[in-house]
Amino acid sequence: MKKLFLSLLLMTFGLAMAQQKLPSVEVKTLDKKVVDASTLENDGKPMVISFWATWCKPCQRELDAINDVYEEWQEETGVKLFAVSIDDSRAVSRVAPLVNGKAWDFDVLLDTNSDLKRALGFATVPHTILLNGKGEIVYQHSGYSDGDEDELYEKIKELVE
């Protein structure tokens, strides 16, 4: 009976994870417009949501690495990246100058209360989420090591082949 219960629990959890979408949580754009995260979309193409912070050096390395190849990724797969800063209200004023200084070509959103981060249930940044064309979360990764962007791109290509 225990094995049956455990199997059913794992199956249910697996199905829930495979179909999980972004929750209805408000975030802001750099120009302070409110956006509901559940409405983020990319015309049926994959999306990457990358959570980061100005104080997080691995986050910046990851976004720099993706930025270097982002134009090619977009041309080949149509992927769109949303970089979601979790900087709190005391540090959020550093976000736009950093983004502009690095010339990142992503849509940047602000999650100053970490509401979206909390709703998705992860603790540390960088944290990267890949969504398929239906807006379903199909892959997640925490942390960053050089080359992780290559693994992410392989996952993106699998979605469009």
Side-chain angles (χ1 to χ4, degrees), residues 2-114:
K2 245 184 185 177
K3 286 184 180 181
L4 178 62
F5 177 74
L6 184 59
S7 295
L8 288 173
L9 183 65
L10 288 173
M11 272 182 33
T12 302
F13 180 73
L15 288 173
M17 285 302 291
Q19 297 172 353
Q20 183 183 6
K21 294 190 174 205
L22 291 175
S24 181
V25 173
E26 289 183 349
V27 292
K28 291 184 179 174
T29 63
L30 284 178
D31 57 359
K32 308 295 186 239
K33 291 181 183 160
V34 175
V35 176
D36 184 328
S38 68
T39 66
L40 296 177
E41 57 91 28
N42 187 24
D43 295 324
K45 297 176 187 141
M47 292 186 300
V48 174
I49 313 291
S50 181
F51 288 86
W52 68 286
T54 57
W55 46 262
C56 173
K57 296 303 177 198
C59 299
Q60 292 178 39
R61 283 197 342 265
E62 177 179 47
L63 289 172
D64 285 341
I66 292 173
N67 193 60
D68 289 344
V69 293
Y70 186 55
E71 189 175 323
E72 296 164 29
W73 286 15
Q74 286 184 301
E75 287 173 10
E76 292 178 26
T77 66
V79 70
K80 183 171 189 173
L81 188 138
F82 294 91
V84 180
S85 166
I86 62 157
D87 284 278
D88 64 20
S89 58
R90 293 178 309 239
V92 73
S93 63
R94 297 184 200 126
V95 174
L98 181 88
V99 169
N100 293 334
K102 291 187 170 281
W104 287 340
D105 193 24
F106 320 123
D107 288 347
V108 177
L109 301 171
L110 307 171
D111 187 24
T112 54
N113 294 323
S114 291

